[in-house]
Amino acid sequence: MVDDMRSEITLFVNGKTQSLEVDNRRTLLDAVREDLGCTGPKKGCDHGQCGACTVLLNGRRIVSCLTLAVAAQGAEITTIEGIADGDALAPLQEAFVRLDGFQCGFCTPGQICSALAMLSEHAQGWPSAVTADVSPDAPLPELDAAEVRERLSGNLCRCGAYPSIVRATLEMAARKGISS
């Protein structure tokens, strides 16, 4: 601890250990973008309502504009920059490009991070608000367009690329063998 207002933290961002001294009030979004240069997560609303800042924290999606950097101490953070394999796009990124799941691209990093986490949540059996049977012994809910739309509803797209975002996500689910 440097003083009462600053802390030394260590984050594992996109597979690399990063040590930072941050103001205790600094958001994870600002630390990742401004201190570490990962500009994929965007500052959209800065109120946790648009999803443009979505990153993965230990594999779970979070809005990084509402997460304090000090709260992520020791956590594994994955931004859009950590999803691709070098210069080769990840399969979901490739599907977004091919199926036009982006327009201006502002929301795309958050959409892709959210979709990856959503696919994992679904595979683990997590229900959504539109899942018909939420009993503990229910079979894995069918992953259809309605499920994807509901599960990604926290990520807004000003350009209205939602149909293509849903198609790209369902294509990725089909590749993993988890869609209808």
Side-chain angles (χ1 to χ4, degrees):
M1 183 102 116
V2 176
D3 65 31
D4 289 344
M5 296 299 293
R6 301 186 68 75
S7 295
E8 293 277 346
I9 62 169
T10 301
L11 305 173
F12 303 97
V13 181
N14 299 326
K16 296 179 185 171
T17 301
Q18 304 280 354
S19 294
L20 305 166
E21 179 186 320
V22 295
D23 183 297
N24 294 337
R25 299 163 294 179
R26 189 163 188 75
T27 65
L28 181 60
L29 175 62
D30 289 339
V32 167
R33 283 185 58 83
E34 296 172 19
D35 301 334
L36 302 178
C38 296
T39 57
K42 302 296 189 264
K43 187 176 280 201
C45 67
D46 215 16
H47 295 286
Q49 298 175 354
C50 73
C53 67
T54 302
V55 299
L56 306 179
L57 181 114
N58 295 330
R60 296 195 53 193
R61 55 186 162 165
I62 62 157
V63 285
S64 60
C65 72
L66 294 183
T67 304
L68 294 176
V70 294
Q73 162 64 28
E76 183 176 326
I77 312 296
T78 305
T79 68
I80 192 71
E81 290 91 346
I83 291 173
D85 184 16
D87 289 338
L89 294 177
L92 184 58
Q93 290 173 306
E94 189 274 329
F96 263 67
V97 171
R98 189 171 33 74
L99 297 172
D100 202 22
F102 65 95
Q103 301 269 323
C104 75
F106 188 84
C107 72
T108 307
Q111 295 276 2
I112 290 173
C113 285
S114 189
L116 285 172
M118 182 275 304
L119 290 169
S120 175
E121 292 162 7
H122 175 268
Q124 293 173 40
W126 295 17
S128 78
V130 296
T131 302
D133 185 355
V134 295
S135 62
D137 59 340
L140 190 63
E142 181 178 316
L143 191 59
D144 57 14
E147 276 283 340
V148 171
R149 281 193 302 273
E150 170 60 29
R151 291 170 182 264
L152 295 180
S153 64
N155 290 79
L156 304 180
C157 174
R158 295 180 203 167
C159 303
Y162 298 116
S164 297
I165 291 167
V166 169
R167 277 195 304 274
T169 304
L170 285 171
E171 180 180 291
M172 187 67 206
R175 283 187 187 181
K176 292 184 173 201
I178 56 175
S179 67
S180 58

